[in-house]
Amino acid sequence: MSAPTCTRPHPATRGRVEMRLPWWAIALPVLAFVTLLLLMLNPSDAHAAGGEPVIAHLLERVQHLVAR
């Protein structure tokens, strides 16, 4: 008994196929890379639990970098 084979509904396209990525597909890896790079440059800032709010410190650093 033979089984039916599946056929493709559309033939494979040849040539250039354009794809668009969402904005976060680029932004998230860039953000992760910059964060890790900053931690490598100053590892003393990489503490897991501290008394100072981390978000405030991060915003101050970003503001300092933008002001340059």
Side-chain angles (χ1 to χ4, degrees):
M1 181 179 251
S2 63
T5 59
C6 294
T7 58
R8 292 181 140 185
H10 299 0
T13 59
R14 291 187 182 204
R16 186 174 177 180
V17 176
E18 293 187 25
M19 292 179 57
R20 294 192 58 186
L21 293 175
W23 65 268
W24 51 264
I26 300 297
L28 290 179
V30 168
L31 179 65
F33 176 78
V34 169
T35 303
L36 291 174
L37 183 64
L38 289 174
L39 287 175
M40 283 178 22
L41 292 176
N42 196 1
S44 64
D45 288 341
H47 33 259
E52 184 179 334
V54 176
I55 298 296
H57 181 67
L58 180 65
L59 290 176
E60 287 176 12
R61 183 172 283 206
V62 168
Q63 187 178 23
H64 177 71
L65 289 173
V66 171
R68 287 187 177 182

